[in-house]
Amino acid sequence: MLLVSAADEYMGFCITSHLLQLGKLSKYMRILCKTNTKRSILKHQFKEKRMEIWPVDHDDTNQLSLAMRNVDVLVMAIGNESKRVEECLQLSQVATQSGVRSIVLVSHIGASQSCRALDDYAKIEADMIKQCIDTETSYVILKLDMIQQYFHLLSVQIEATKSIRLPLKPSASICPISIHDVCHTIESLITDQQGELMNEILPEHKGQLYCLTGPSAINSEDVLTYLTESTGYQEYTNMLIRPMEMRYYLQNLHHDVWFDARIKAEKANTPEYGSIVYDAPTDTFINSHVDYFEWVNSTNGSFVTPHVEFITSRTPMSLRTFFHTYANEFKPRV
């Protein structure tokens, strides 16, 4: 049995959507969501799938223990809720004590004590590793660079201002990865060559830490180039903004009527998971996102790793391809 956590959060939702497309896994899948989740999209998207949806209270160890029954592999997606550290620590503890054989932890690059929100990921990683070592549970950690699909959140601003505004200094670079490549990596770790669910990750992946990045390092000028190429609009400008300006924009995004209309359309139609914004960003997401750019600026950027291609035997999607695929979202509003 496969268990995916935080299915009512963006990352868990995308992972679940991808794995269900494989067909063979649905009858072996179980997903966790909160008992008070407001995400009706879960039932709309998954109602016809042969899979178990378990609403749980993460403070109730009995509920978590029941959810772990017969589970061999746990894909632990770290969400963006305010208590994500406590909930993930509880989840990993119950999983290792319940006989789960393997844990795939979906974490974030740049985990550091100097960046408070990103430090959440470091705490979760350290605790999970300790729990797994103590119980001889196998694990693998995936540290993600920025998700390319987070640019969907900027589409409202780009359409309205005809500019790309990032808190990214000219000398720094980022290596954004497509959510599709993240999901393909997880698929490769938990399924065999026939697409069947394995009851444990392969020995060569046990205890490994992989940094998942896009195929190239890009700067803000590259983003401007890809945006111009994909939309055909030549008047876009590139603006360096302060982190607090990015924070202010994301905090007020839910007030925008165009963004609100997009969310409602997604809930009604459930489009392909790579094209969605899913929901308005939470304070925890905003803090992590802003901290990521501060980490990049302080280290002069992230760097490309071959881990996606090593695990999946496929070249990851470039940011240029992302903008060409979703060009209509970023065209100026007239």
Side-chain angles (χ1 to χ4, degrees), residues 8-124:
D8 51 349
E9 299 273 337
Y10 174 78
M11 185 60 65
F13 178 83
C14 291
I15 294 169
T16 301
S17 298
H18 176 85
L19 295 178
L20 284 176
Q21 293 175 3
L22 304 180
K24 293 183 178 181
L25 294 186
S26 59
K27 60 183 178 181
Y28 302 113
M29 281 185 65
R30 183 181 297 159
I31 63 174
L32 295 185
C33 62
K34 290 185 177 59
T35 52
N36 61 347
T37 185
K38 298 179 180 179
R39 296 301 303 179
S40 59
I41 193 172
L42 280 177
K43 294 181 180 179
H44 183 66
Q45 178 84 339
F46 305 142
K47 64 180 180 180
E48 296 180 356
K49 306 296 183 181
R50 293 184 299 167
M51 59 177 293
E52 301 177 24
I53 302 177
W54 282 57
V56 295
D57 178 355
H58 285 74
D59 293 327
D60 190 329
T61 55
N62 184 55
Q63 286 187 15
L64 290 177
S65 297
L66 291 174
M68 296 291 173
R69 185 172 295 172
N70 298 322
V71 170
D72 296 308
V73 179
L74 167 63
V75 177
M76 193 158 75
I78 301 175
N80 292 307
E81 64 279 357
S82 58
K83 294 174 59 179
R84 63 182 178 184
V85 174
E86 294 84 353
E87 291 180 358
C88 286
L89 299 188
Q90 184 82 302
L91 189 62
S92 62
Q93 181 179 10
V94 174
T96 53
Q97 292 176 353
S98 300
V100 172
R101 296 188 178 187
S102 298
I103 298 177
V104 179
L105 176 63
V106 185
S107 187
H108 198 293
I109 200 169
S112 167
Q113 291 183 350
S114 61
C115 299
R116 184 175 179 181
L118 293 184
D119 189 43
D120 287 355
Y121 296 94
K123 292 176 181 176
I124 294 168

Side-chain angles (χ1 to χ4, degrees), residues 40 44 106 113 119 130 138 142 145 152 167 182 198 254 260 276 293-294 331:
S40 59
H44 183 66
V106 185
Q113 291 183 350
D119 189 43
K130 181 179 184 304
S138 60
L142 305 178
D145 209 304
H152 287 311
V182 174
M198 298 186 293
H254 66 283
D260 184 62
I276 65 173
F293 281 103
E294 292 187 354
K331 290 183 177 179

Side-chain angles (χ1 to χ4, degrees), residues 213-226:
T213 70
S216 59
I218 56 100
N219 56 33
S220 55
E221 283 299 320
D222 293 324
V223 177
L224 178 65
T225 299
Y226 302 156

